[in-house]
Structure formats: structure tokens, C-alpha cells
Amino acid sequence: MAGALPWLIFAATLLLPTIKSSTASRMAKPGCRETCGNLTIPYPFGIGEGCFREGFDVSCENDTVYRHNSTTSGIQIYNINLLGGQATHSTFIASNCFYNKNNFNTGGWASLDTGEFFTVSSKANKLTAVGCNTLAFLVGSNEHSVGAGCFSKCTDKKSVDRSGQCSGMGCCQTSIAPNVFSSNITFDLRFNNSEFTKEFKDGVPTVLDWVAGNENCNEAVKNMSSYACIGKNSHCIESPNATGYLCTCNDGFAGNPYLEEGCQDIDECSFPDQYPCHGICSNMIGNYSCLCKSGTRSTDPKKETCNPVGVSERAKLIKVSIGISASAMLLLICIFVLLMECQKRKLRKEKKTFFQQNGGLLLYEQIMSKHVDTVRIFTREELENATNNFDSSRELGRGGHGTVYKGILKDSREVAIKRSKIMNVAEKDEFVQEMIILSQINHRNVVKLLGCCLEVEVPMLVYECIPNGSLFELMHGGYRKPHISLDARLRIAQESAEALAYLHSSASPPIIHGDVKSPNILLGENYTAKVTDFGASRMVATDEIQFMTLLQGTIGYLDPEYIQERQLTDKSDVYSFGVVLLELITRKFAIYSDGAGETKNLASSFLLAMKENSLQSILDQNILEFETELLQEVAQLAKCCLSMRGEERPLMTEVAEKLKTIRSRWREQLTQNPINETECLLENPSWHYHLSITGQHGSLMSLDLESGR
Ligand SMILES: *[C@@H]1O[C@H](CO)[C@@H](O)[C@H](O)[C@H]1NC(C)=O
Ligand SMILES: *[C@@H]1O[C@H](CO)[C@@H](O)[C@H](O)[C@H]1NC(C)=O
Ligand SMILES: *[C@@H]1O[C@H](CO)[C@@H](O)[C@H](O)[C@H]1NC(C)=O
Ligand SMILES: *[C@@H]1O[C@H](CO)[C@@H](O)[C@H](O)[C@H]1NC(C)=O
Ligand SMILES: *[C@@H]1O[C@H](CO)[C@@H](O)[C@H](O)[C@H]1NC(C)=O
Ligand SMILES: *[C@@H]1O[C@H](CO)[C@@H](O)[C@H](O)[C@H]1NC(C)=O
Ligand SMILES: *[C@@H]1O[C@H](CO)[C@@H](O)[C@H](O)[C@H]1NC(C)=O
Ligand SMILES: *[C@@H]1O[C@H](CO)[C@@H](O)[C@H](O)[C@H]1NC(C)=O
Ligand SMILES: *[C@@H]1O[C@H](CO)[C@@H](O)[C@H](O)[C@H]1NC(C)=O
Ligand SMILES: *[C@@H]1O[C@H](CO)[C@@H](O)[C@H](O)[C@H]1NC(C)=O
Ligand SMILES: *[C@@H]1O[C@H](CO)[C@@H](O)[C@H](O)[C@H]1NC(C)=O
Ligand SMILES: *[C@@H]1O[C@H](CO)[C@@H](O)[C@H](O)[C@H]1NC(C)=O
């Protein structure tokens, strides 16, 4: 064969990938033929009426796919790339052969019309001319008229490079312009001495780009009747290779985006090569999760292997968490301490304020100027400690004005702490006065004030603890009234009188008690009388008489003159003491109810009895058997004390003196003529626990325990 055979081809230089996940879902429209020979025909391509999108009809003959119809186009389709928007089909080879023997094309030219939606792929094809002394041209159109050509030269056909790589020896290649939809390949016939052998039988494969529509996505989506991306989980993309749009499945889905049910969820866990997971893989719709097994860890198990959390690493983790919690604790503690400090400071300030408000400074001044070292200022903590935080079990008594607690100081001394409920400004004034008065009194029959606490809103007083109750409780308390010897009664009377006498005449300035009554006479060891409760006590300037707006004292003990004239004098105390004396010899309440249920005033009853000379009827039967003459004397003294006019009453010193005389006479008689008097006082030491009889006295008898016991 001597003749030259130059020919030109469109050559597909790329092997196109097949659709990978096509296995599961159908690619053709429902009810349409899906395969032809080995080739799957995905919609929009389709065989037969209603199976294809306009412009994408193909036919299947002898297991071969043709564009449109073999007789009309004669173009065979080798491959369809659905997602890439490409299709490979045959193109005629243009040849110019001088020795044309059984040749399939002698036209010397080959033209191609791709049809709507299809263009010659610029990326995938090259114009190739094979032969010696060949100059080939491609003239075509996209939106413009375009063209290119190549020239190859060789001396004889032996020198043609047949390796398949068009190296320039007897072969040349050139690029094809993009978007070419029609072309015509021709030769320059001046170069006709080439020599070639026919090697391609049915034409060469050419890759065409196709698009679902020529618009861009924005325009395409507006015309729903022609929009191609109708599949769920699909969307439109601009074709990178041609002018127009394509459809694609959303991430995590695969299949045919041009069909309604085409895009299916990818079970990523079944494709570990594409969707790697180094831990436990679990599929989700449109996605998948990958987690490390417990005890293992990885920054990203989809990319890096999960490594077991090492012991040291775990320890480190624990250490770190301990460190964090420890510092958090520390911070909390710091805040707490700060708050506590704040609170303390506030408390200290409050204390200081109270101290000043309560006349603490005044008191200090007084203490300093008068060189009083008997009164002590207690701190709030001390008293709280001493009373177990004012525990109710420590209550000794509760009165209208406050509560008296039993306290045990650090040196284990027992004290009584009087804690008032409220105190108005006037009372505060009184308070300091009371402090000063009491601090100066030192008498064995007066309850000793040890000190006070000014750091609280209402100041507290600390007295010596008088353990054995009050005279009131002794006389009237208990279910079984104990016997009280006449001697004891006389002693208590004498001691009380001495205490009052001391207050009236020996104290400086003189003090009027103002509320003498049996509950205010406390009983110490061996039933020593101790006068207490100077709440109403006053310093009385020698030339000045105190006028009172309010009545002070207790009904039954109140001096009638004081009630009338509102003048509290030392004689008022004498009157009240007279009532106490009556209590001692009659063992009746100052206001009592007789058998008929009639309320009676003891003083009035007594005076009446004296007048009627029927003293016996009112006296305590237990002491009646003794010296009646002596009792007569005591009664006479009481009568004097109860004189209506103050000046007729004796002075307290005189009363005390008289009682002393009576008592010593009585003692004399005892030694001369001893009476086997049972000392019942010690018989029943628990009597003062039965203090619950208060209600029995009625409201008239105020059981005022607000006393420094
Ligand atoms: C189908 O493909 C196989 C192998 O890929 C090939 O052997 C066979 O000839 C092909 N059949 C047709 C009809 O193209
Ligand atoms: C298909 O094959 C038949 C018989 O094998 C033949 O007659 C017909 O021409 C073929 N058609 C095409 C398009 O090749
Ligand atoms: C091809 O198309 C022509 C005219 O459109 C028709 O007559 C012929 O039957 C078709 N051939 C095939 C194989 O469909
Ligand atoms: C565009 O052309 C390239 C190169 O031929 C091809 O790999 C790709 O599949 C084509 N289509 C898309 C959508 O990228
Ligand atoms: C291709 O070019 C040749 C030579 O110029 C001409 O004869 C032929 O008609 C052209 N074919 C087409 C389809 O344009
Ligand atoms: C082609 O070559 C042959 C023989 O070499 C010659 O006869 C013929 O004229 C040439 N044709 C053209 C167009 O040059
Ligand atoms: C919508 O598409 C249909 C069919 O392709 C076409 O006839 C019509 O003109 C289009 N309408 C618009 C507004 O593009
Ligand atoms: C899949 O999940 C990961 C995180 O689990 C997320 O970052 C990613 O965006 C998700 N992908 C899709 C397609 O939802
Ligand atoms: C209170 O008592 C506790 C223990 O009983 C003691 O530690 C503390 O110092 C006391 N406080 C005062 C102010 O006495
Ligand atoms: C007085 O009280 C104290 C302490 O409670 C007690 O020890 C003492 O026996 C009592 N005295 C009398 C006489 O009851
Ligand atoms: C109480 O009486 C006893 C015995 O009579 C005596 O030893 C004691 O000192 C007295 N106590 C007081 C405080 O008077
Ligand atoms: C007093 O009574 C007791 C018994 O109760 C008796 O032993 C004693 O001798 C009596 N004393 C006098 C002085 O009667």
C-alpha cells in the first residue's frame, strides 16, 4: 500500500467514570427501559415516548445505543455520565485517501451537529490529525465562529508514531474551542502525499458536554414546567464545562437527581473508603456519625484513629479535674471568708453603735470618775456563751418586760442575766442610772449587780444568781405548802427591812425602791433575803421630789397616798413593805379571794380584822400556836406601816430596828423554852419547781419575775 491515508479524529482522551451508586436506585423513569446492552441509560436520557426529556431521546438497536435513531443520525453512544453532564459518542472520521480501497468515508470532510443541549467538550477532546504532510482544520461555531488547525509532516509511514501518544511524528493535536455545537473538519489538499493505513472502523469516540437547560440556575428554577431538578434532596448547579445547568443530589444523598425519588440517602457506613470512620459508625439521613468506643479517644474519629485513653492520661485527667475543683473550692472559701469578715465588721460597728446609744460612754465616764471597779462590762459573746445562746432551758423567769436567764460564766460562776424585750429612749436613760446606782450598792440583802452588756440593742444586766426563788414562791408556791418557821419569817422580814433601810438612808443618793413586793424579795443560800428589781428605783435628790406621770408598782402593794398624789416617797416603800409583812404572817396573797370567791385586798382585810379585834381569823394557822403576843407586835408594826398618811408611817430604819427587837426577843424565848419546831424549810427542797400555779392568782396578782435572780 503506497497511498497516503491522512485522517482526522475527535479523540476521547479521558476515561469517564461510571455512576457508582447506581446499583440501588433506578436510573430510568419508572416503566422505561433502563439498560441497552451493557449501558445504563439514565433519565433525562430515555428510550421511547415519555421516557426521555426533550432533546435526550436515544434508541437501542442490536444492544447498541444510538443518538435519536440509527437511521436518522447514525451516531452511536458509548457512555453516559449523568452527574458530570457528559456523553461519549461516535464521530465520523474525515479522511482524504488517494488509495481508497474499501474506505468508509471518502468525503475529505466530516461535519458534526451536536444538537440542542449538547456541545463538543473542550476539555475532553482534541483535534487530532494523523498522516504525513497533513494540514487539517476545524471550523465551527459556538456563540462565535471559531476555528483551529494542525499540521504534521513525515517522510514515510514508517516514521509515524504509533505508540498512541501523539508525539508530533506523523501526528498533530490541537485544542477545540469551548461550546462548539457544530463543526466541519477539512484538509488542505495541497498536502496530499501522505501515506496512511486505516485503523479506525466505526469512527472515533467524542465527548460531548450536555446540560439540562441552557439557562442558569436562577432562571431555570423560575420555570417550574421545564425545571429539571425535580428530585427530593436535589438541587441545581451551574455546569462548569458548558453554558447551562445540571442537577445534583444534596450531600449525603446519591442517585438520579432528575427523577422525583432519585436521590437516596447514602449509607455511609457501607462505604468506609469514601466515608471513613475509625470508631463506631452509624448512618443518619443525609449524614453519618462516628464516635469512639468508650475508653478510647480521638480528636476526629472520622479522620484519626481512636486511641485508648491511657492510664497516665486518665490520671492526668483526674488530676486536672481535681485541680479545677480544688481551686473552685478555694475561691468559694475565699468569698465565704470575705463575707464573714464583712458580716463581722458590720456586727462590730453595730455593737459600737449600740454601745454608744446605750450610754456606754457615759457609763464609762461614771465608772472612771467614781472609781467604781465593781461593775463589769460583758461582751455579747460572753453572755451568749454563758446562756448557751439564750436557750429556753436556761430561762429562770419571764415577765412583761423581758426574760431572766441563768448563765454560767467561764469561771463557772452562776449569774442571772436580765434581757429586756424593748426599751424606749427614756428607759435607756433610766438604765444607765440603774447601772450606776446598783453598782454602788453593797449590802448582803440586796441582789448584787455584777455588770452589764451594752453591745446589744437592748442592754442586758448581769446579777449574782440567787438560787432559791422568791419570797412569793416560798409563801405561795408549791402544791404542798411547806411549813415555814416563825423564826425564818421574822428573819426574812428583818433582812428585807434592813435592805430597804439601807437604800433609804445609807445609799448615796438615797434610793426609793418603788416596787416592794414579795416576788422582789429573793432568797439566797439559807434563805437569806435579797431585795431586787430596781427597775423603778430612782435617785432622789434631797431637795427634790420626783413627780411621776405613770403609776409604778403592783396592785395590792401600792401606797394609796402615792396613787392620789403621784408622789413616790420612801414612805411608799414602807407601805408596800407593810403588805409584805402581812403576807409573812397571814400567808395570803396581797389580793386574794376568800372562800366565797370574793376578791379582797389583804391590807384592807387586815386593817378591818385589827379594828374588829379578830386578828386570829386572818393569821396563818401554822404559826398561831406560837407566841400570840409576839404576833400581836408584828401586826401592830404592819398596821403602822399601812397608815393611810405617809408621815404617820415609821421610817424604814425604825421598822428594821423594831423587827430586830421582836426577833431577838423571840430567839431568847426559844432558848429558854425550846419548841420542837420542825424545820420544814429543808423538808421539801423542790418546792420552787412548782411554780406553775401562777394562773391561780388571777390577773390581779402579777407574778413579776423580772428580777435579778
Ligand atoms: C458487555 O461488556 C462485556 C465486558 O465488559 C463485553 O465482553 C461484552 O462484549 C459487552 N457486550 C456488549 C453487547 O457490548
Ligand atoms: C441489527 O442486526 C440485524 C441482523 O443481525 C441487521 O440486519 C441490522 O442491520 C442491524 N442493525 C444495525 C443498526 O446495525
Ligand atoms: C428511525 O426514524 C425513522 C423516521 O423518523 C423511522 O422511520 C425509523 O423506523 C426509525 N428507526 C428506528 C430503528 O427506530
Ligand atoms: C466537566 O469536564 C471535566 C473534564 O472533562 C469532567 O471531569 C467533568 O465530569 C465534567 N463535568 C462536570 C460537572 O464537572
Ligand atoms: C465542509 O467543507 C467542505 C469543503 O469546504 C464543503 O464542501 C462541505 O460542504 C462542508 N460541509 C458542511 C456540512 O458544511
Ligand atoms: C496529489 O498528489 C498526486 C500525486 O502525487 C498529484 O497527482 C495530485 O495532483 C496532487 N493533488 C493536489 C491537489 O495537489
Ligand atoms: C418554560 O418552559 C416551557 C417548556 O420548555 C417553555 O415553553 C416556556 O416558554 C418557558 N417559559 C419561560 C417563562 O421561560
Ligand atoms: C454531618 O454532620 C457533621 C457533624 O456531625 C457536620 O459537620 C456536617 O456538616 C453534616 N453534614 C451534612 C450534610 O449535614
Ligand atoms: C465560747 O465558748 C467556746 C467553747 O465553749 C470558746 O471556744 C469561746 O472562746 C467562747 N467565747 C467567748 C467569747 O468566751
Ligand atoms: C438553795 O439553792 C441551792 C442551789 O440550787 C441549793 O443547793 C440549796 O440547797 C438551796 N437551799 C435551800 C435552803 O433550799
Ligand atoms: C448557811 O448555813 C450554814 C450552816 O448553818 C453555814 O455554814 C453557811 O455558812 C451559811 N451560808 C451562808 C451564805 O450564810
Ligand atoms: C423534839 O422532837 C424530837 C423528835 O421529833 C425529839 O427527839 C426531841 O427530844 C424533841 N425535843 C424537845 C426539846 O422536845
Side-chain angles (χ1 to χ4, degrees), residues 251-252 284-289 302:
D251 284 346
M284 301 184 293
I285 299 299
N287 211 339
Y288 75 110
S289 78
K302 285 185 183 175

Side-chain angles (χ1 to χ4, degrees), residues 385-401:
N385 254 20
T387 56
N388 198 9
N389 252 325
F390 299 103
D391 196 87
S392 56
S393 68
R394 295 292 193 86
E395 272 180 32
L396 286 175
R398 189 181 276 272
H401 296 126

